[in-house]
Amino acid sequence: MRGKFITIEGTEGVGKTTNIEFIQSWMDTKKLSYSITREPGGTPLAEQIRELLLAPREESVSSTAELLLVFAARAQHLNQVIEPMLGEGAWVLCDRFTDATYAYQGAGRLMRDDLIRELELLVQGSLQPDLTLILDIPVQVGLARAGERSAPDRFEQEQVAFFDRVRNRYLQIAQDNPQRCIVIDASRSLEGVQAQIAEALESFWETV
Ligand code: Z5A
């Protein structure tokens, strides 16, 4: 049986990395075979593209170049990791996927949705996540959390207005795709966030 594809999304510092560990322990309790991966990245080539995308640089990066790099990394990741793992029956938990492209390149960089849609069809065909957890937090709170952790990458150097557009797009995606998206209030304590994630995972488990 084909594995399930779970993605986790949100703006900066929402706690994706922290909560992936929690989801991993949930998958362990269910005795699932799984792989944890991330975008951009997940293969040696895609990780190199990630470095190119995130490195702060003097040169201004064209939004079209950024969009194509994101999808180039995704094509490699799907081909080398995601599709083979799902085909073997393993679950795949991915830190960000194409919703991030609609949020960051679409809403953030103001790239046209129909262009993103064409690339999405080219690269992934009809493949969509089975479950997407969208961690939601006021932008300033997330930026403060992320700022305490490390120096800002090229995206984290953007202005608050950029992240407000990203956040609003994520909420819109959740509204448009209620069958696969669950919004988690990530402004609560870690225990409160993980209680919501556990509930979402158990509801999903009942449908598997
Ligand atoms: N990008 C794109 O533009 N287009 C695309 O299609 C894709 C990606 C796929 C890299 O993503 C960048 O790629 C991203 C968009 C772009 N923009 N940036 N930057 P990333 O996921 O690797 O980077 P990130 O969003 O900055 O994630 P992150 O830095 O790893 O943050 P996080 O994983 O969401 O948060 P965290 O590290 O788990 O937590 C942050 C801090 O908050 C940490 O100190 C925690 O201990 C703390 N924390 C977590 N939860 C809580 C709670 N509940 N209370 C209090 N404190 C907490």
Side-chain angles (χ1 to χ4, degrees):
M1 203 172 92
R2 198 173 156 82
K4 297 294 176 193
F5 184 27
I6 301 180
T7 56
I8 183 162
E9 299 274 2
T11 48
E12 320 312 299
V14 279
K16 291 178 292 92
T17 310
T18 310
N19 287 298
I20 279 171
E21 283 174 34
F22 176 75
I23 300 172
Q24 177 172 16
S25 53
W26 180 85
M27 292 193 292
D28 285 333
T29 63
K30 299 294 183 196
K31 304 211 177 333
L32 292 168
S33 153
Y34 61 82
S35 176
I36 296 178
T37 185
R38 68 175 181 179
E39 288 217 344
T43 83
L45 173 58
E47 287 291 330
Q48 284 187 326
I49 297 174
R50 178 190 178 90
E51 282 174 30
L52 292 175
L53 278 163
L54 296 195
R57 59 184 75 240
E58 294 285 315
E59 180 185 356
S60 147
V61 177
S62 126
S63 298
T64 306
E66 183 179 285
L67 178 67
L68 292 171
L69 283 170
V70 163
F71 271 110
R74 181 163 300 135
Q76 185 68 6
H77 191 206
L78 278 163
N79 180 268
Q80 295 293 304
V81 177
I82 298 178
E83 283 288 7
M85 294 301 296
L86 292 174
E88 284 169 18
W91 286 36
V92 174
L93 171 59
C94 192
D95 184 346
R96 297 193 185 281
F97 193 60
T98 307
D99 292 327
T101 313
Y102 284 102
Y104 283 82
Q105 281 66 51
R109 303 275 189 234
L110 306 174
M111 296 290 291
R112 278 169 32 208
D113 278 359
D114 60 323
L115 289 179
I116 300 176
R117 179 76 190 137
E118 278 187 35
L119 290 168
E120 179 183 22
L121 280 175
L122 170 73
V123 167
Q124 66 197 69
S126 61
L127 179 92
Q128 291 293 327
D130 296 296
L131 172 68
T132 298
L133 301 172
I134 297 179
L135 274 55
D136 180 58
I137 200 176
V139 166
Q140 299 278 22
V141 178
L143 287 173
R145 281 189 192 171
E148 279 171 23
R149 195 204 42 201
S150 58
D153 63 31
R154 196 171 59 80
F155 287 93
E156 288 165 347
Q157 291 176 341
E158 288 296 332
Q159 304 298 312
V160 170
F162 174 92
F163 294 112
D164 276 332
R165 293 199 297 276
V166 172
R167 180 189 186 201
N168 289 336
R169 176 59 66 92
Y170 271 129
L171 294 174
Q172 187 63 51
I173 289 170
Q175 216 174 334
D176 295 344
N177 299 275
Q179 72 294 348
R180 78 167 165 92
C181 294
I182 296 183
V183 178
I184 305 289
D185 176 1
S187 63
R188 291 168 57 185
S189 68
L190 197 50
E191 294 72 29
V193 172
Q194 292 179 345
Q196 296 171 72
I197 292 177
E199 193 183 331
L201 291 172
E202 288 299 335
S203 301
F204 178 66
W205 183 248
E206 283 170 18
T207 69
V208 171

